[in-house]
Coordinates of all heavy atoms in Angstrom, one line a residue:
D1 N 6.0 3.4 -37.2 CA 5.7 3.4 -35.8 C 6.8 4.1 -35.0 O 7.9 4.1 -35.3 CB 5.7 2.0 -35.3 CG 4.6 1.1 -35.9 OD1 3.5 1.7 -35.9 OD2 4.7 -0.1 -36.2
N2 N 6.3 4.8 -33.9 CA 7.2 5.5 -32.9 C 7.3 4.7 -31.7 O 6.3 4.0 -31.2 CB 6.6 6.8 -32.7 CG 6.5 7.8 -33.8 OD1 7.5 7.7 -34.7 ND2 5.6 8.6 -33.9
C3 N 8.4 4.8 -31.1 CA 8.6 4.2 -29.8 C 8.0 5.0 -28.8 O 8.0 6.3 -28.9 CB 10.1 4.0 -29.5 SG 10.9 2.8 -30.6
V4 N 7.4 4.5 -27.7 CA 6.7 5.2 -26.7 C 7.2 4.7 -25.4 O 7.7 3.6 -25.2 CB 5.2 5.3 -26.7 CG1 4.7 5.8 -28.0 CG2 4.7 3.8 -26.7
G5 N 7.1 5.5 -24.3 CA 7.4 5.1 -23.0 C 6.7 4.0 -22.4 O 5.6 3.7 -22.9
V6 N 7.2 3.3 -21.5 CA 6.4 2.1 -20.9 C 5.6 2.6 -19.9 O 5.9 3.6 -19.1 CB 7.5 1.1 -20.3 CG1 6.9 0.0 -19.5 CG2 8.3 0.5 -21.4
Q7 N 4.4 2.1 -19.7 CA 3.4 2.4 -18.7 C 4.0 2.2 -17.3 O 4.7 1.3 -17.1 CB 2.1 1.5 -18.8 CG 1.2 1.6 -17.6 CD 0.0 0.7 -17.7 OE1 -0.6 0.5 -18.8 NE2 -0.4 0.1 -16.6
E8 N 3.8 3.3 -16.5 CA 4.1 3.1 -15.0 C 2.9 2.7 -14.2 O 1.8 3.1 -14.6 CB 4.7 4.5 -14.4 CG 5.7 5.1 -15.2 CD 7.1 4.3 -14.9 OE1 7.2 3.8 -13.8 OE2 8.0 4.3 -15.8
C9 N 3.2 1.7 -13.3 CA 2.0 1.2 -12.5 C 1.6 2.2 -11.5 O 0.3 2.4 -11.4 CB 2.4 -0.1 -11.8 SG 2.7 -1.4 -13.0
G10 N 2.4 3.0 -10.8 CA 1.9 4.0 -9.8 C 1.5 3.4 -8.5 O 1.5 2.1 -8.3
A11 N 1.2 4.3 -7.6 CA 0.7 3.9 -6.2 C -0.5 3.0 -6.2 O -1.4 3.3 -7.1 CB 0.5 5.2 -5.4
G12 N -0.6 2.0 -5.4 CA -1.6 1.2 -5.2 C -1.6 0.0 -6.3 O -2.6 -0.8 -6.2
K13 N -0.6 -0.2 -7.1 CA -0.5 -1.1 -8.1 C 1.0 -1.7 -8.1 O 1.9 -1.1 -7.5 CB -0.9 -0.5 -9.4 CG -2.3 -0.1 -9.5 CD -2.6 0.5 -10.9 CE -4.0 0.9 -10.9 NZ -4.5 1.1 -12.1
E14 N 1.1 -2.8 -8.8 CA 2.3 -3.5 -9.0 C 2.3 -4.0 -10.4 O 1.3 -4.4 -11.0 CB 2.8 -4.4 -7.9 CG 2.0 -5.8 -8.1 CD 2.4 -6.8 -7.0 OE1 3.5 -6.7 -6.4 OE2 1.6 -7.7 -6.9
Q15 N 3.5 -4.3 -10.9 CA 3.7 -4.9 -12.2 C 3.1 -6.3 -12.3 O 3.3 -7.1 -11.4 CB 5.1 -5.0 -12.7 CG 5.4 -5.6 -14.0 CD 6.8 -5.5 -14.5 OE1 7.3 -4.4 -14.8 NE2 7.5 -6.6 -14.3
D16 N 2.2 -6.6 -13.3 CA 1.6 -7.9 -13.4 C 2.5 -8.7 -14.6 O 2.9 -9.8 -14.4 CB 0.3 -7.8 -13.8 CG -0.4 -9.2 -13.8 OD1 0.0 -10.0 -13.0 OD2 -1.4 -9.4 -14.6
T17 N 2.7 -8.0 -15.6 CA 3.5 -8.6 -16.8 C 4.5 -7.5 -17.3 O 4.3 -6.3 -17.4 CB 2.5 -8.8 -18.0 OG1 1.4 -9.7 -17.6 CG2 3.3 -9.5 -19.1
A18 N 5.8 -8.0 -17.2 CA 6.9 -7.1 -17.8 C 6.6 -6.6 -19.2 O 6.2 -7.3 -20.0 CB 8.2 -7.8 -17.5
P19 N 7.2 -5.4 -19.5 CA 7.1 -4.9 -20.9 C 8.1 -5.6 -21.8 O 9.1 -6.1 -21.3 CB 7.4 -3.5 -20.8 CG 8.2 -3.4 -19.5 CD 7.7 -4.5 -18.5
T20 N 7.7 -5.8 -23.0 CA 8.7 -6.3 -24.0 C 8.8 -5.2 -25.1 O 8.3 -4.1 -25.1 CB 8.1 -7.6 -24.7 OG1 6.9 -7.2 -25.4 CG2 7.8 -8.6 -23.6
N21 N 9.5 -5.5 -26.2 CA 9.7 -4.5 -27.2 C 8.3 -4.5 -28.1 O 8.2 -3.6 -28.9 CB 10.9 -4.8 -28.0 CG 10.8 -6.2 -28.7 OD1 10.0 -7.0 -28.3 ND2 11.6 -6.4 -29.7
K22 N 7.4 -5.3 -27.8 CA 6.2 -5.3 -28.6 C 4.9 -5.0 -27.7 O 3.9 -4.8 -28.3 CB 5.9 -6.7 -29.3 CG 6.9 -7.0 -30.4 CD 6.8 -8.3 -31.1 CE 7.8 -8.4 -32.1 NZ 7.6 -9.5 -33.0
N23 N 5.0 -5.4 -26.4 CA 3.9 -5.1 -25.5 C 4.2 -4.4 -24.3 O 5.2 -4.5 -23.8 CB 3.4 -6.5 -25.0 CG 2.9 -7.4 -26.1 OD1 1.9 -7.0 -26.9 ND2 3.5 -8.5 -26.3
D24 N 3.3 -3.5 -24.0 CA 3.4 -2.7 -22.7 C 3.3 -3.5 -21.4 O 2.9 -4.6 -21.4 CB 2.4 -1.5 -22.8 CG 2.7 -0.3 -21.9 OD1 3.7 -0.3 -21.2 OD2 1.9 0.6 -21.9
R25 N 3.8 -2.9 -20.3 CA 3.7 -3.5 -19.1 C 2.1 -3.5 -18.6 O 1.4 -2.6 -19.0 CB 4.4 -2.6 -18.0 CG 4.2 -2.8 -16.6 CD 4.8 -1.9 -15.6 NE 6.3 -2.1 -15.7 CZ 7.3 -1.2 -15.9 NH1 6.9 0.1 -16.2 NH2 8.5 -1.5 -15.9
T26 N 1.8 -4.5 -18.0 CA 0.4 -4.5 -17.3 C 0.6 -4.4 -15.9 O 1.6 -4.9 -15.4 CB -0.4 -5.8 -17.8 OG1 0.3 -6.9 -17.3 CG2 -0.6 -5.8 -19.2
C27 N -0.4 -3.9 -15.2 CA -0.4 -3.7 -13.8 C -1.6 -4.3 -13.1 O -2.5 -4.6 -13.7 CB -0.3 -2.2 -13.4 SG 1.0 -1.4 -14.2
K28 N -1.3 -4.7 -11.9 CA -2.5 -5.3 -11.1 C -2.5 -4.4 -9.7 O -1.6 -3.9 -9.3 CB -2.3 -6.6 -10.8 CG -1.2 -7.1 -10.1 CD -1.1 -8.7 -9.8 CE 0.1 -9.0 -9.0 NZ 0.2 -10.5 -8.9
N29 N -3.8 -4.3 -9.2 CA -4.1 -3.6 -7.9 C -3.4 -4.4 -6.8 O -3.6 -5.6 -6.7 CB -5.5 -3.4 -7.7 CG -6.1 -2.5 -8.9 OD1 -5.4 -1.5 -9.3 ND2 -7.3 -2.7 -9.2
C30 N -3.0 -3.6 -5.8 CA -2.7 -4.1 -4.5 C -4.0 -4.4 -3.8 O -5.1 -3.9 -4.1 CB -1.8 -3.2 -3.6 SG -0.3 -2.8 -4.3
V31 N -4.0 -5.3 -2.7 CA -5.2 -5.7 -2.1 C -5.3 -4.8 -0.8 O -4.5 -4.9 0.1 CB -5.2 -7.1 -1.6 CG1 -6.5 -7.4 -0.8 CG2 -5.1 -8.1 -2.9
A32 N -6.2 -3.7 -0.8 CA -6.3 -2.8 0.3 C -6.5 -3.5 1.6 O -7.2 -4.5 1.7 CB -7.6 -1.9 0.0
G33 N -5.8 -3.1 2.6 CA -5.8 -3.7 4.0 C -4.9 -4.9 4.1 O -4.6 -5.3 5.2
T34 N -4.3 -5.4 3.1 CA -3.4 -6.5 3.0 C -2.1 -6.2 2.5 O -1.0 -6.4 3.1 CB -4.0 -7.6 2.3 OG1 -5.4 -8.0 2.8 CG2 -3.1 -9.0 2.4
T35 N -2.1 -5.6 1.3 CA -0.8 -5.0 0.7 C -1.0 -3.6 0.2 O -2.1 -3.1 0.1 CB -0.5 -6.0 -0.5 OG1 -1.5 -5.9 -1.5 CG2 -0.2 -7.5 0.0
F36 N 0.1 -3.0 0.0 CA 0.1 -1.6 -0.4 C 1.3 -1.3 -1.3 O 2.4 -1.9 -1.2 CB 0.1 -0.5 0.7 CG 1.3 -0.3 1.3 CD1 2.2 0.7 1.1 CD2 1.9 -1.3 2.2 CE1 3.3 1.0 1.6 CE2 3.2 -1.1 2.8 CZ 3.9 0.1 2.5
S37 N 1.3 -0.2 -2.1 CA 2.4 0.3 -2.9 C 2.2 1.7 -2.9 O 1.4 2.3 -3.3 CB 2.4 -0.3 -4.3 OG 3.3 0.4 -5.1
D38 N 3.2 2.5 -2.3 CA 3.2 4.0 -2.3 C 4.0 4.6 -3.3 O 4.3 5.7 -3.3 CB 3.6 4.4 -0.9 CG 4.9 4.0 -0.4 OD1 5.6 3.2 -1.2 OD2 5.3 4.3 0.7
D39 N 4.6 3.7 -4.2 CA 5.5 4.1 -5.3 C 5.2 3.3 -6.6 O 4.1 2.8 -6.7 CB 7.0 4.0 -4.9 CG 7.3 2.6 -4.4 OD1 6.7 1.7 -4.7 OD2 8.3 2.5 -3.7
N40 N 6.2 3.2 -7.4 CA 6.0 2.4 -8.6 C 6.7 1.1 -8.4 O 7.4 0.6 -9.3 CB 6.6 3.2 -9.8 CG 6.2 2.6 -11.1 OD1 5.0 2.1 -11.3 ND2 7.1 2.5 -12.1
G41 N 6.5 0.5 -7.3 CA 7.2 -0.7 -7.0 C 6.4 -2.0 -6.8 O 5.3 -2.0 -7.6
V42 N 6.6 -2.8 -5.9 CA 5.8 -4.0 -5.8 C 4.8 -3.7 -4.7 O 5.1 -2.9 -3.7 CB 6.7 -5.2 -5.6 CG1 7.6 -5.5 -6.7 CG2 7.5 -5.1 -4.2
C43 N 3.8 -4.5 -4.5 CA 2.9 -4.5 -3.3 C 3.6 -5.2 -2.2 O 4.1 -6.2 -2.3 CB 1.5 -5.2 -3.7 SG 0.5 -4.4 -5.0
K44 N 3.6 -4.5 -1.1 CA 4.2 -5.0 0.1 C 3.2 -5.3 1.3 O 2.1 -4.6 1.2 CB 5.2 -3.9 0.6 CG 6.3 -3.6 -0.4 CD 7.1 -2.4 0.1 CE 6.4 -1.1 -0.2 NZ 6.9 -0.2 -1.1
A45 N 3.5 -6.2 2.1 CA 2.5 -6.5 3.3 C 2.4 -5.2 4.1 O 3.4 -4.5 4.3 CB 3.0 -7.7 4.0
V46 N 1.1 -5.0 4.6 CA 1.0 -3.8 5.5 C 1.5 -4.2 6.8 O 1.6 -5.4 7.2 CB -0.5 -3.4 5.6 CG1 -1.1 -3.0 4.3 CG2 -1.3 -4.6 6.2
A47 N 2.0 -3.2 7.6 CA 2.4 -3.3 8.9 C 1.4 -3.6 10.0 O 0.3 -3.2 9.8 CB 3.3 -2.1 9.4
R48 N 1.8 -4.4 10.9 CA 1.0 -4.6 12.2 C 1.5 -3.9 13.2 O 2.7 -3.8 13.5 CB 0.9 -6.1 12.5 CG 0.3 -7.0 11.3 CD 0.2 -8.5 11.7 NE -0.5 -8.7 13.0 CZ -1.9 -9.0 13.2 NH1 -2.5 -9.2 12.1 NH2 -2.3 -9.2 14.4
C49 N 0.6 -3.2 14.0 CA 1.1 -2.5 15.2 C 1.5 -3.4 16.3 O 0.8 -4.4 16.5 CB -0.1 -1.6 15.6 SG -0.6 -0.3 14.4
G50 N 2.6 -3.0 16.9 CA 3.2 -3.9 17.9 C 2.6 -3.6 19.3 O 1.6 -2.9 19.4
A51 N 3.1 -4.3 20.2 CA 2.6 -4.3 21.6 C 2.6 -2.8 22.2 O 3.7 -2.0 21.8 CB 3.5 -5.1 22.6
G52 N 1.6 -2.3 22.7 CA 1.5 -1.0 23.3 C 1.2 0.1 22.3 O 1.2 1.2 22.5
T53 N 0.9 -0.4 21.1 CA 0.6 0.6 20.0 C -0.8 0.1 19.4 O -1.2 -1.0 19.5 CB 1.6 0.7 18.9 OG1 1.7 -0.6 18.3 CG2 2.9 1.1 19.5
G54 N -1.4 1.0 18.6 CA -2.6 0.7 17.9 C -2.7 1.5 16.6 O -1.9 2.4 16.5
V55 N -3.6 1.2 15.8 CA -3.8 2.0 14.6 C -4.2 3.5 14.9 O -5.0 3.7 15.7 CB -4.8 1.3 13.6 CG1 -5.1 2.2 12.3 CG2 -4.4 0.0 13.3
K56 N -3.5 4.4 14.3 CA -3.7 5.8 14.5 C -5.2 6.1 14.1 O -5.6 5.8 13.1 CB -2.7 6.7 13.6 CG -2.8 8.1 13.9 CD -1.7 8.8 13.2 CE -1.6 10.2 13.4 NZ -0.5 10.9 12.7
A57 N -5.9 6.8 15.0 CA -7.3 7.0 14.8 C -7.5 8.3 14.1 O -8.5 8.4 13.2 CB -8.1 7.0 16.2
N58 N -6.8 9.4 14.3 CA -7.1 10.6 13.7 C -5.8 11.3 13.2 O -4.9 11.6 14.1 CB -7.8 11.6 14.7 CG -8.4 12.8 14.0 OD1 -8.5 12.9 12.8 ND2 -8.9 13.7 14.8
P59 N -5.5 11.6 12.0 CA -6.3 11.0 10.9 C -6.2 9.5 10.7 O -5.4 8.9 11.3 CB -5.7 11.7 9.7 CG -4.3 11.9 10.0 CD -4.3 12.1 11.6
N60 N -7.1 9.1 10.0 CA -7.2 7.5 9.8 C -5.9 6.9 9.5 O -5.3 7.2 8.4 CB -8.3 7.3 8.7 CG -8.5 5.9 8.5 OD1 -8.0 4.9 9.0 ND2 -9.6 5.5 7.7
G61 N -5.5 6.0 10.2 CA -4.3 5.3 10.0 C -4.4 3.9 9.4 O -3.4 3.3 9.3
Y62 N -5.6 3.6 9.1 CA -5.7 2.2 8.6 C -5.2 2.1 7.2 O -5.1 3.1 6.4 CB -7.3 1.8 8.5 CG -7.8 1.5 9.9 CD1 -8.4 2.5 10.7 CD2 -7.6 0.3 10.5 CE1 -8.8 2.2 12.0 CE2 -8.0 -0.1 11.8 CZ -8.6 0.9 12.5 OH -9.0 0.6 13.8
P63 N -4.6 0.9 6.8 CA -4.0 0.9 5.5 C -4.8 0.9 4.3 O -6.1 0.5 4.4 CB -3.3 -0.5 5.6 CG -4.0 -1.3 6.5 CD -4.6 -0.2 7.5
T64 N -4.4 1.4 3.2 CA -5.1 1.3 2.0 C -4.2 0.7 0.9 O -3.1 0.3 1.3 CB -5.6 2.8 1.5 OG1 -4.3 3.5 1.1 CG2 -6.3 3.5 2.5
A65 N -4.6 0.6 -0.3 CA -3.8 0.1 -1.4 C -2.7 1.0 -1.6 O -1.6 0.6 -2.1 CB -4.6 -0.2 -2.7
E66 N -2.7 2.3 -1.2 CA -1.7 3.4 -1.5 C -0.8 3.6 -0.3 O 0.2 4.3 -0.5 CB -2.3 4.6 -2.0 CG -3.0 4.4 -3.4 CD -4.4 4.1 -3.3 OE1 -5.0 4.2 -2.2 OE2 -4.9 3.4 -4.2
K67 N -1.2 3.3 0.9 CA -0.4 3.6 2.1 C -0.5 2.5 3.2 O -1.4 1.8 3.3 CB -0.8 5.0 2.7 CG -2.1 4.9 3.5 CD -2.4 6.2 4.2 CE -3.6 6.2 5.0 NZ -3.5 5.6 6.3
D68 N 0.6 2.5 3.9 CA 0.8 1.5 4.9 C 0.1 1.9 6.2 O -0.4 3.0 6.3 CB 2.3 1.3 5.3 CG 2.7 0.0 6.0 OD1 1.8 -0.8 6.3 OD2 3.9 -0.1 6.3
T69 N 0.0 1.0 7.2 CA -0.6 1.2 8.5 C 0.1 2.3 9.3 O 1.3 2.2 9.1 CB -0.6 -0.1 9.4 OG1 -1.2 -1.2 8.6 CG2 -1.4 0.1 10.6
E70 N -0.5 3.2 9.9 CA 0.1 4.2 10.8 C -0.2 3.8 12.2 O -1.4 3.7 12.5 CB -0.4 5.6 10.4 CG 0.1 6.1 9.0 CD -0.4 7.4 8.8 OE1 -0.1 8.4 9.6 OE2 -1.1 7.7 7.8
C71 N 0.8 3.6 13.0 CA 0.6 3.2 14.5 C 0.9 4.4 15.4 O 1.6 5.3 15.0 CB 1.5 2.1 14.8 SG 1.2 0.6 13.7
Q72 N 0.2 4.3 16.5 CA 0.6 5.3 17.6 C 0.5 4.6 19.0 O 0.0 3.5 19.1 CB -0.4 6.4 17.5 CG -1.8 6.0 18.0 CD -2.8 7.2 18.0 OE1 -2.5 8.2 17.3 NE2 -3.9 7.1 18.6
A73 N 1.3 5.2 19.9 CA 1.3 4.7 21.2 C -0.1 4.7 21.9 O -0.8 5.6 21.7 CB 2.3 5.3 22.0
C74 N -0.5 3.7 22.7 CA -1.7 3.6 23.4 C -1.4 4.3 24.7 O -0.3 4.2 25.3 CB -2.2 2.2 23.6 SG -2.6 1.4 22.1
N75 N -2.4 5.0 25.2 CA -2.3 5.6 26.5 C -3.0 4.6 27.5 O -4.1 4.4 27.6 CB -3.1 6.9 26.6 CG -2.6 7.9 25.7 OD1 -1.4 8.1 25.6 ND2 -3.5 8.5 24.9
A76 N -2.1 4.1 28.4 CA -2.6 3.1 29.4 C -3.8 3.6 30.3 O -3.7 4.7 30.7 CB -1.4 2.6 30.3
G77 N -4.8 2.8 30.3 CA -5.9 3.2 31.1 C -7.0 4.1 30.4 O -8.0 4.2 30.9
Y78 N -6.7 4.6 29.2 CA -7.5 5.5 28.6 C -8.0 4.9 27.3 O -9.2 5.2 26.8 CB -6.8 6.9 28.2 CG -6.5 7.6 29.6 CD1 -5.2 7.5 30.1 CD2 -7.5 8.3 30.3 CE1 -4.9 8.2 31.3 CE2 -7.2 9.0 31.4 CZ -5.9 9.0 32.0 OH -5.6 9.5 33.1
D79 N -7.2 4.2 26.5 CA -7.6 3.7 25.2 C -8.4 2.4 25.3 O -8.1 1.6 26.2 CB -6.4 3.4 24.3 CG -5.7 4.7 23.9 OD1 -6.3 5.6 23.7 OD2 -4.4 4.6 23.7
K80 N -9.6 2.4 24.7 CA -10.6 1.4 24.9 C -10.3 0.3 23.7 O -10.7 -0.8 23.8 CB -12.0 1.8 24.8 CG -12.2 2.7 26.0 CD -13.7 3.2 26.0 CE -13.9 4.1 27.2 NZ -15.1 4.8 27.2
N81 N -9.7 0.8 22.6 CA -9.6 -0.1 21.4 C -8.1 -0.5 21.2 O -7.3 0.3 21.1 CB -10.0 0.6 20.1 CG -11.5 0.7 20.2 OD1 -12.3 0.0 20.7 ND2 -12.0 2.0 19.7
W82 N -7.8 -1.8 21.3 CA -6.5 -2.2 21.2 C -6.4 -3.1 19.9 O -7.3 -4.0 19.7 CB -6.0 -3.1 22.3 CG -5.8 -2.3 23.6 CD1 -6.8 -1.9 24.4 CD2 -4.6 -1.8 24.1 NE1 -6.3 -1.2 25.4 CE2 -5.0 -1.0 25.3 CE3 -3.3 -1.9 23.6 CZ2 -4.0 -0.4 26.1 CZ3 -2.4 -1.2 24.5 CH2 -2.8 -0.4 25.6
N83 N -5.4 -2.8 19.0 CA -5.4 -3.6 17.7 C -4.2 -4.5 17.7 O -3.2 -4.3 18.3 CB -5.2 -2.6 16.6 CG -6.4 -1.7 16.5 OD1 -7.5 -2.3 16.4 ND2 -6.3 -0.5 16.4

């Protein structure tokens, strides 16, 4: 038998079960819109836009399993959608 590298989870996933000398790492998906992972780490809670800001509309700033929420400042009197 040859030793092989451990599986990396990658973006949008986090470790579910740690690797051992006999079993590979297992990964689980982050929950899109709730948690995200943009690296080989853990799923983190997505950001909420604060007062006076909203989710960036163009390009789409809504969170996915691979990226966090992107916020932008609202234009007082012009923006109709507040998040």
Side-chain angles (χ1 to χ4, degrees):
D1 289 325
N2 293 329
C3 295
V4 295
V6 175
Q7 171 184 316
E8 298 292 330
C9 291
K13 298 181 180 198
E14 71 178 348
Q15 178 174 284
D16 189 30
T17 306
T20 67
N21 61 345
K22 294 184 180 186
N23 295 304
D24 200 359
R25 168 184 290 129
T26 62
C27 303
K28 63 181 178 180
N29 293 327
C30 298
V31 179
T34 304
T35 60
F36 80 101
S37 173
D38 56 3
D39 56 19
N40 194 36
V42 298
C43 295
K44 302 170 278 246
V46 297
R48 294 182 55 95
C49 297
T53 66
V55 176
K56 189 175 182 180
N58 191 10
N60 183 350
Y62 286 94
T64 67
E66 294 86 24
K67 74 176 185 75
D68 199 3
T69 308
E70 293 181 58
C71 301
Q72 68 181 17
C74 295
N75 297 317
Y78 296 101
D79 289 331
K80 296 179 182 172
N81 296 321
W82 292 81
N83 294 310

